[in-house]
Amino acid sequence: MNVVNSYVGQPIERIEDLRLLRGRGQFVDDLHLDGMLHAAVLRSSIPHGRIIRLDTTAARVLPGVAAVITAAEIGDPVPTIPLRLVPMSDLVPYEQPVIANGKVRYVGEPIAVVVAESAAIAEDALELIAVEIETLPPCVDTRSAAANQSLLFEETGTNLALTYTTVLGDADAAFAAATTDEYYIRRERFDTQRHTATTMETRGLIGAWDSERQHLTVYGAAKVPFASRGMLAKQIGLPESAVDLIEGDVGGGFGMRGEFYPEDFLIPFAARHLDRPVKWIEDRREHLLTCNHAREFDCDLELLCRRDGTILAVRGRINGNIGAYIRSNATIAPRNIAQFFSGPYRIPNIHIESTMLVTNKTPTGTYRGPGRFEGDFFRECLFDVVADDLGIDPVAFRRRNLITRDEMPAKLATITPVRQQEELDCGDYLQTLDRCLAEFHWVDKAKLKGRLIEGRYHGVGIGCFIEGGGVGPRENARMVLESDGSIAVYVGSAIVGQGLETVCVQIAADALEVPMERIRIFHGSTTYLHAGFGSFGSRSTVMGGSAIIDAAENLKKAIRTAAALRLNCAVDDVLLEAGMAKSPDGNVVGWTDLASENLRADGTFFCDRRTYGYGAHAAHVAVDPGTGHVEVVDYVAVGDVGRIINPMALRGQIVGAIVQGLGSTFLEHLVYDEDGQLLTGSLADYLLPTAIDYPNIRVFDQEEYPSPNNPLGAKGAGEGGIIPVGGVIANAIASAIGVQPKSLPLSPSRVWELMNP
Amino acid sequence: MNVAFDINGQPVEVQVEPRTTLADCIRHDLRLTGTHVGCAHGTCGACTVIVDGDAVRSCLILAVQMQHAKIVTVEGISNDDALTPLQAAFRKHFALQCGFCTPGILITAHALLTEEPNASEDRIRDVLSGSICRCTGYIPIVQAVLEARAAYQVQARSAAA
Ligand code: FES
Ligand code: FES
C-alpha cells in the first residue's frame, strides 16, 4: 500500500472527540491526588486602599484548616508577575505582586489563601479572616486615571504606565499641507467596552510537591507552559528542571487562559509549604473578577483624505484602561491597536499615540484578536462616517484604499518602544472584498438601506481586515519511533481546546507518509521537551506544525540511516514507504523492526515574520425601532488563510469567533460602578450569546495565497473571525437607522437611544 | 447524611453533607467527572443530568434530594465500542471544540429527542439556548442535533411498534 500525502486539507474528524464526547476528558478539576487539600482565596472587596490589619487567627484554628497564607508567609520580597514576551523596565513598578502586599488596587485582588481538607471548609474559613482596609479614592476610567489625582503606584508619580508611538510617513506634515478645499478632515471619538474571554471551564490548578525529589508538579497549565514554568521556578526559588507544568484537557483559552496569574504562584507555593497536593478551582464570580479583562479603549482620531476618498493620513490618540497592574501580556492589545490600526488599507501617514493607563479595575490581558477587534471598530466606523459625509459609497471608499496585490509586501507603521516594524506578507485584499460582496448579494441588499419593512429598519455594513498570526520566534517538536511502530510526537504548542491535536496528527502523518492511526501527540507539558513556546497569537498550527515537519524530516533521515545498515545499501538509496524501508534491490525492513534502535529526532522552526490572513465580512441587520433590538439577518465572512489544514476545524474556529464577536458587539460588558465595584459578577449579569441569538452566519474560506514564511504555507486563523465584527455591525446599524454608533456594546437600550436622542 | 439513588443503572449509596450539590456529589464523591460545572449558579447548563427523565441542572439541586431517583449522566449515554448516533453527529459536524460544555449539551439534546423525537429546529434551538458554549457558535451543534433526530425517531417508532 502506498500512503499518499493526503490528510492535510481534509475535514478529518477529531481524535479528541472520542474522549470528550463520552465524558472521559481530563480537565483539571477531574484530577484527584491522594491526600489532596483544597484552597480558597480571600479577595479584596475594596478597589483601592491600604491594608491596615489582617488577622487570620480564627481561620487557622478552624478544624480542617491546614494553613492560611498571606504576604507574611511568602516573605520579603513578595514576587511579582513579569511581562512574558518583551520585558520593559519602565513597566516593572506596575507588576502585580502574587498576593496583596500593603496595598490593594482592585476588587478581587488576593489577600490570603486558606488551605483546608475540603473546599467547603476553606471557604468557611475565609469568613473568619479579619481584614481592615483604609480606603483610597478609586480611578475607574482613563480620564480620572490620567488626571493623576489618585495614584495607584505613588512611587512612580503617574498612572500613565506607558505610551506607544506608531509612525509611518509624517502625519503632521500631511495635515499641515492640507489647506485647500480639495482635502477633507474628520475628527471622531469612539470607544469599546471592557469584556473578556469567559471560557466555560474556569481556571484551576493542582500543585504537588515531592519532597524526596525536591520536585514541583503543577497541573492545569495552558497556553505557554514553558514560559510559566520559568516564571514560577524563579519566583519560588527552584531550578526549572525541578518544576513541571502539565497540560490536560482545557475548556477554552482565547488568549486569557494560561497566562501567569497570582494563583499560579500561590497554589504551588501552598503545596510545597504543606508538602501535600493542593487543588484550587476558581468559581464563576472569581473568574469574572480576576481573569484578565480586555478591550476597554477609547480614542480621539483624525482622518485626512482627498474629496475623492483617498486617505492621506490618520493621527490621534488611543487610551487603554489596563486595570490595576501590568500583567504578563498587558502590552499586546495597546500595541496592536496602534500598530495594526491601518489594517489592510493604505494609509501613507500615521501618527498614533496609544497609552496604557492603570485604574482600579481588574488587570487586563489578551482576548482573541487583542487590539484588533477594537482598532477595527474605530477604523471602520471612522471610514463610514467619512464616506457618508463625502457622499461616497462605503464599498467604493474601501476599494480605493485597500492595499493591492502589487504593493506586497507592504510596510506597516513602526511602533516604539521596543521598536517593531512589520510588513504584510502577501494576498489580494480586493479579491476577498469582491467575493464577500458577491456571496452576500450586496448589490441587492444595499437597496434595503434605511428602509422600514414590516416594522423594522434594514441596513448593511461591510469591513475588511487582516489577522496577524504565526508569531515567532520558534517552536520545537520531537518524534520518537516506538516499539509498536507508532510515532510519538511531542510538541511545545499547547492545545487550548481548539482541535490542535488533530491538526498536528494530520501534519505529522503526511510528513512521515504513514496512516494517522500511527501518530500519537503529546503536547503542552514541560516534561516532553526542553523548551517550547506555546499557543498564542494564532501560532500553534503555523509554528508547531512547521516544527513537526522539520522533526519528521530528521526522523526520516534517522530511519534511513538505521535501515541502510540492515539493508546493506547507501543511506540515500533507502526508500521510505508506508512505514517500511526498502533498498533498491527490493529488500525491506519495517519501521517496527528498527524501533529497538531508539530512533528519535528533534525539529525546530524559526520564524520572525508574521503571517497575515485577511478577508472581508458583511452584515445585514434589522432594527426594531420600538425596542432597539437588532437582528443579524445575514452575516457573511470571507477569509484567506493560506494553506488550510482541516477545513472543518477552521470553519469551527471562524464561526465560533464571529459569534464571540457578536457577543462583544451586542451583549458582553463588565460593568463597574463609579466606586470600582464590578456589577456583572455572574453569567446572569454578564450575558453571553446563546443558541437562539445568531443563527445566520455563512463562512467562505479560501487558500489562494499560502504564506511564504513557513513550509506549510499556513497562516494563523484563530482570530480573523472576531476582528471585523464590531465595525461591520455598527456600520450596518448606521445604515439602517441613519445614526452612526460610536460606542460598544450595542445593547437594545443603546440602539434605542441612538434612534431617540 | 446518607442518600441512595440509581445512577446510570447502578444503585449507589453515598454519605454527603446536606449542603453538597448533586453536581459535586456526582463529580467528587462518585468520581463521574464527565458532568462539568461551569458556573454553579444555574446559568450555563454544563452540569445538566437527567433525573427521572427530565434534564436538570445538577448544580442547583442537593444530593440529599435524590433519594430513590434515577439519574443519567453523560457516562450513562455512552458506550465503549462506538459513539452513539448523537455523539457521532457531534463529531461529524465539529459540534465541539474544547468539549467542556459538551456533556451538558449532549444530555440536554438526548432528553429532548427522547421526549420529542420530532422536535423542530426552532424547538431545538430554544431548548439548547439554556446551555452556553463559548467555542462553537452553536451552528454546528444545532446541525448535529438535527441530524441525530432521525435515530431517535427510529427508536421511538420501534418502541411504539
Ligand atoms: S454549572 Fe450548573 S448551570 Fe452552570
Ligand atoms: S466546546 Fe468549548 S464551550 Fe462548547
Side-chain angles (χ1 to χ4, degrees):
Chain A
M1 178 193 67
N2 190 8
V3 183
V4 284
N5 185 7
S6 60
Y7 295 115
V8 167
Q10 297 301 310
I12 302 289
E13 293 192 340
R14 304 193 326 160
I15 298 151
E16 43 275 67
D17 291 358
L18 294 173
R19 61 177 189 273
L20 295 171
L21 282 163
R22 288 187 278 196
R24 296 175 189 165
Q26 219 169 52
F27 297 90
V28 63
D29 191 33
D30 301 344
L31 296 175
H32 182 95
L33 305 186
D34 285 339
M36 190 166 75
L37 296 165
H38 299 263
V41 182
L42 179 74
R43 299 179 183 281
S44 177
S45 58
I46 305 289
H48 194 193
R50 246 180 276 285
I51 302 173
I52 47 179
R53 193 170 74 92
L54 179 57
D55 183 352
T56 59
T57 328
R60 283 176 204 275
V61 298
L62 184 77
V65 169
V68 180
I69 294 164
T70 67
E73 280 66 33
I74 289 164
D76 204 24
V78 171
T80 60
I81 300 169
L83 273 182
R84 173 166 58 77
L85 285 169
V86 187
M88 280 191 248
S89 57
D90 286 357
L91 296 179
V92 170
Y94 300 93
E95 288 177 356
Q96 176 163 15
V98 294
I99 200 156
N101 187 15
K103 238 185 137 175
V104 288
R105 296 184 176 89
Y106 66 97
V107 173
E109 180 160 7
I111 294 176
V113 182
V114 175
V115 186
E117 294 297 332
S118 74
I121 297 174
E123 281 167 30
D124 290 345
L126 293 184
E127 318 232 327
L128 301 174
I129 299 176
V131 202
E132 224 174 289
I133 294 173
E134 175 200 350
T135 62
L136 297 166
C139 290
V140 293
D141 53 34
T142 51
R143 191 173 307 193
S144 63
N148 282 331
Q149 264 150 17
S150 183
L151 292 175
L152 273 78
F153 301 84
E154 289 85 357
E155 61 280 18
T156 68
T158 175
N159 292 324
L160 178 59
L162 188 77
T163 303
Y164 280 108
T165 306
T166 303
V167 175
L168 186 67
D170 187 341
D172 285 341
F175 275 90
T179 50
T180 61
D181 276 4
E182 189 198 338
Y183 300 102
Y184 172 87
I185 295 175
R186 182 78 182 223
R187 183 172 172 183
E188 287 290 343
R189 293 170 189 269
F190 302 97
D191 60 84
T192 49
Q193 85 286 15
R194 181 171 275 251
H195 59 282
T196 187
T198 330
T199 54
M200 290 326 295
E201 184 198 18
T202 58
R203 290 181 299 140
L205 293 161
I206 300 174
W209 174 246
D210 180 338
S211 52
E212 215 156 281
R213 283 173 59 219
Q214 293 284 298
H215 192 93
L216 186 60
T217 305
V218 184
Y219 301 87
K223 187 176 180 179
V224 286
F226 289 91
S228 296
R229 169 173 73 172
M231 292 182 197
L232 176 60
K234 194 161 165 217
Q235 291 168 339
I236 214 162
L238 287 167
E240 281 190 24
S241 57
V243 180
D244 273 310
L245 266 58
I246 311 291
E247 180 191 45
D249 283 315
V250 166
F254 314 121
M256 177 282 298
R257 185 193 303 277
E259 288 300 330
F260 202 98
Y261 290 91
E263 297 82 3
D264 289 281
F265 170 87
L266 296 171
I267 303 307
F269 176 88
R272 188 183 181 197
H273 183 71
L274 291 164
D275 197 8
R276 280 176 70 179
V278 175
K279 181 191 255 191
W280 168 73
I281 302 296
E282 182 182 60
D283 68 29
R284 184 54 66 179
R285 182 175 158 72
E286 283 182 296
H287 182 86
L288 288 165
L289 207 52
T290 68
C291 280
N292 287 339
H293 288 180
R295 303 262 203 263
E296 190 174 3
F297 287 92
D298 55 75
C299 72
D300 181 349
L301 295 170
E302 221 175 347
L303 181 144
L304 165 69
C305 64
R306 282 187 220 285
R307 294 212 160 256
D308 65 1
T310 308
I311 301 172
L312 300 173
V314 169
R315 68 179 174 189
R317 187 181 176 88
I318 300 174
N319 295 311
N321 181 328
I322 52 143
Y325 296 99
I326 305 283
R327 277 194 186 156
S328 54
N329 65 3
T331 52
I332 307 293
R335 193 194 66 202
N336 284 356
I337 200 169
Q339 187 181 11
F340 300 107
F341 178 83
S342 52
Y345 302 99
R346 187 188 317 101
I347 305 182
N349 299 289
I350 299 175
H351 188 127
I352 297 174
E353 311 253 281
S354 165
T355 64
M356 296 175 64
L357 286 150
V358 288
T359 61
N360 295 107
K361 290 181 173 175
T362 300
T364 54
T366 55
Y367 170 35
R368 204 175 205 171
R372 297 166 185 269
F373 173 89
E374 304 90 315
D376 272 42
F377 172 74
F378 298 163
R379 184 188 68 232
E380 297 292 332
C381 286
L382 184 59
F383 282 7
D384 267 24
V385 169
V386 169
D388 186 58
D389 207 22
L390 291 172
I392 300 173
D393 175 73
V395 173
F397 185 87
R398 287 172 175 77
R399 224 189 267 290
R400 177 174 292 277
N401 292 297
L402 278 174
I403 293 169
T404 61
R405 202 174 50 183
D406 301 337
E407 293 168 78
M408 296 289 176
K411 274 195 177 25
L412 290 166
T414 301
I415 193 159
T416 45
V418 192
R419 189 183 153 81
Q420 212 176 339
Q421 155 106 70
E422 302 258 343
E423 57 181 33
L424 300 172
D425 51 354
C426 60
D428 186 347
Y429 301 164
L430 284 153
Q431 184 265 330
T432 43
L433 172 63
D434 284 333
R435 174 137 190 232
C436 182
L437 295 168
E439 302 287 1
F440 184 77
H441 303 295
W442 178 269
V443 177
D444 293 336
K445 288 193 179 136
K447 294 182 187 135
L448 300 172
K449 272 186 188 178
R451 280 182 53 193
L452 184 65
I453 303 167
E454 291 173 10
R456 295 189 303 173
Y457 288 103
H458 288 251
V460 293
I462 181 120
C464 306
F465 70 97
I466 53 166
E467 168 185 12
V471 179
R474 190 157 86 235
E475 194 52 273
N476 297 327
R478 166 173 296 164
M479 288 190 177
V480 178
L481 181 59
E482 303 281 5
S483 56
D484 61 356
S486 69
I487 294 99
V489 181
Y490 299 90
V491 288
S493 304
I495 295 298
V496 296
Q498 270 34 83
L500 186 69
E501 203 172 323
T502 306
V503 162
C504 287
V505 169
Q506 289 177 262
I507 294 170
D510 274 5
L512 292 169
E513 296 180 54
V514 299
M516 266 179 59
E517 294 68 39
R518 296 205 19 202
I519 306 286
R520 286 183 298 143
I521 298 285
F522 299 86
H523 59 82
S525 298
T526 59
T527 37
Y528 301 138
L529 296 169
H530 64 281
F533 293 83
S535 300
F536 53 90
S538 295
R539 72 189 296 281
S540 306
T541 301
V542 172
M543 300 299 296
S546 299
I548 287 175
I549 291 184
D550 188 44
E553 286 313 312
N554 293 337
L555 183 68
K556 286 199 277 192
K557 254 180 247 158
I559 292 173
R560 270 203 205 94
T561 309
L565 284 175
R566 303 248 192 136
L567 298 169
N568 257 325
C569 67
V571 173
D572 286 346
D573 291 341
V574 177
L575 205 71
L576 297 184
E577 229 179 64
M580 302 291 237
K582 279 189 200 161
S583 69
D585 50 13
N587 290 330
V588 171
V589 54
W591 291 15
T592 333
D593 304 316
L594 297 169
S596 58
E597 301 192 14
N598 212 351
L599 297 181
R600 56 182 56 217
D602 285 346
T604 298
F605 180 65
F606 290 93
C607 182
D608 57 1
R609 277 186 298 167
R610 283 177 207 250
T611 62
Y612 288 91
Y614 60 93
H617 289 194
H620 169 196
V621 300
V623 184
D624 182 336
T627 60
H629 176 265
V630 179
E631 185 196 349
V632 180
V633 180
D634 191 17
Y635 195 99
V636 167
V638 173
D640 196 308
V641 296
R643 183 94 169 274
I644 297 172
I645 312 296
N646 185 325
M648 286 293 278
L650 171 68
R651 167 161 308 211
Q653 288 254 335
I654 294 173
V655 172
I658 291 170
V659 171
Q660 286 184 332
L662 292 166
S664 299
T665 304
F666 290 115
L667 304 169
E668 299 177 34
H669 194 179
L670 290 158
V671 182
Y672 280 79
D673 67 13
E674 67 258 30
D675 300 324
Q677 294 291 339
L678 179 70
L679 303 179
T680 50
S682 80
L683 295 184
D685 310 297
Y686 184 87
L687 299 181
L688 293 167
T690 71
I692 47 177
D693 292 325
Y694 311 114
N696 308 314
I697 295 170
R698 298 186 287 137
V699 171
F700 304 88
D701 306 313
Q702 53 178 53
E703 42 183 353
E704 304 291 320
Y705 284 87
S707 173
N709 297 345
N710 65 74
L712 281 167
K715 298 183 176 183
E719 301 172 283
I722 205 168
I723 291 170
V725 181
V728 168
I729 294 287
N731 287 342
I733 293 175
S735 106
I737 66 173
V739 186
Q740 179 70 43
K742 295 179 184 173
S743 296
L744 295 180
L746 293 163
S747 59
S749 58
R750 286 258 185 96
V751 174
W752 190 89
E753 280 166 15
L754 287 173
M755 301 175 82
N756 301 273
Chain B
M1 291 172 79
N2 248 11
V3 57
F5 51 79
D6 184 295
I7 190 160
N8 302 329
Q10 300 284 320
V12 292
E13 206 176 324
V14 256
Q15 181 84 42
V16 290
E17 281 191 59
R19 64 177 169 180
T20 307
T21 63
L22 176 59
D24 282 349
C25 171
I26 290 172
R27 290 183 46 77
H28 300 307
D29 295 311
L30 302 173
R31 302 268 171 88
L32 290 169
T33 52
T35 302
H36 295 155
V37 174
C39 70
H41 54 250
T43 51
C44 77
C47 65
T48 306
V49 300
I50 296 172
V51 176
D52 297 330
D54 295 327
V56 300
R57 297 177 179 225
S58 61
C59 71
L60 289 183
I61 32 179
L62 298 174
V64 293
Q65 293 171 279
M66 290 297 102
Q67 188 70 18
H68 305 314
K70 284 203 178 355
I71 300 171
V72 180
T73 67
V74 67
E75 289 90 346
I77 58 162
S78 305
N79 44 58
D80 280 343
D81 24 297
L83 296 178
T84 65
L86 181 64
Q87 289 164 334
F90 266 62
R91 189 173 190 221
K92 176 175 157 196
H93 288 278
F94 281 56
L96 65 158
Q97 287 179 32
C98 76
F100 192 79
C101 68
T102 311
I105 291 182
L106 287 171
I107 283 284
T108 305
H110 177 74
L112 171 68
L113 294 178
T114 305
E115 202 56 31
E116 301 172 36
N118 298 316
S120 67
E121 176 170 347
D122 281 350
R123 172 75 179 142
I124 289 168
R125 276 196 180 273
D126 209 38
V127 171
L128 290 179
S129 72
S131 294
I132 299 176
C133 172
R134 192 53 161 163
C135 303
T136 63
Y138 305 102
I139 290 171
I141 296 180
V142 174
Q143 284 169 343
V145 175
L146 278 170
E147 177 163 319
R149 198 170 55 173
Y152 286 85
Q153 288 165 344
V154 170
Q155 214 167 35
R157 272 199 295 276
S158 64

